[in-house]
Amino acid sequence: MYEILKFLHVLAMFTATTIFVGNGYLLAVIGRSRDVVAIRQSVKASLKLNPVGGAAVTIGVILGFITALNGNLDLTQTWLILGYVLTAGVFAMGLGYWTPKSKALLEAAEASPVEEPTAELSQRLVRLGNPVILVFDTLLWASIIFVMVTKPFS
């Protein structure tokens, strides 16, 4: 049972990682195109996928706890605590940065004429596609994977 639970936990977290990291980079690339119609459609699609990614993270976390308990793991091991902190960071980035920025981007894209992005849309595109944020977010997800695979300090 432990191996099946571990597989389902990894599958849920892999799904969430793919959705969220993929969306971030996709929006950044499409934003650089300055194609207002493509920006509108991609942000709408991204926002529709957010609940799926959120559900995947939540299910992954729940399955992670169930898996750990099923495998008789000590939930206070350093590597697990690091995983909890990093996962909290993922939730904070999603709810505190990506979702509000994506909604504001969609509002600006819908208010923009199709021929050329408005100044507001252009500014929002620069902020959303900020390479520092993209790299930080990617490293956050990669850190979770690293901690879960290598189990440092255990």
Side-chain angles (χ1 to χ4, degrees), residues 82-130:
L82 282 171
Y84 308 151
V85 170
L86 292 167
T87 302
V90 162
F91 274 105
M93 283 297 292
L95 297 173
Y97 181 82
W98 288 108
T99 299
K101 294 288 186 193
S102 295
K103 287 179 179 177
L105 181 62
L106 180 58
E107 287 176 15
E110 288 180 337
S112 181
V114 236
E115 301 77 32
E116 184 70 24
T118 61
E120 181 186 356
L121 177 56
S122 295
Q123 288 173 350
R124 292 192 182 282
L125 287 169
V126 168
R127 281 185 239 136
L128 188 74
N130 182 332

Side-chain angles (χ1 to χ4, degrees), residues 15 18 34 46 73-75 83-84 134:
T15 300
T18 302
R34 300 184 55 80
S46 175
L73 297 176
D74 176 3
L75 296 178
Y84 308 151
L134 291 171

Side-chain angles (χ1 to χ4, degrees), residues 12-33:
M13 295 306 284
F14 186 81
T15 300
T17 304
T18 302
I19 289 171
F20 288 134
V21 174
N23 274 346
Y25 280 94
L26 183 65
L27 289 176
V29 169
I30 291 173
R32 288 190 183 106
S33 75

Side-chain angles (χ1 to χ4, degrees), residues 26-85:
L26 183 65
L27 289 176
V29 169
I30 291 173
R32 288 190 183 106
S33 75
R34 300 184 55 80
D35 180 333
V36 176
V37 175
I39 293 164
R40 287 177 187 166
Q41 295 305 313
S42 62
V43 176
K44 284 178 186 176
S46 175
L47 288 170
K48 287 180 183 177
L49 280 173
N50 281 354
V52 176
V57 169
T58 303
I59 291 167
V61 167
I62 292 167
L63 284 170
F65 280 115
I66 294 170
T67 303
L69 293 171
N70 189 270
N72 294 318
L73 297 176
D74 176 3
L75 296 178
T76 63
Q77 290 183 72
T78 305
W79 68 275
L80 285 172
I81 292 171
L82 282 171
Y84 308 151
V85 170

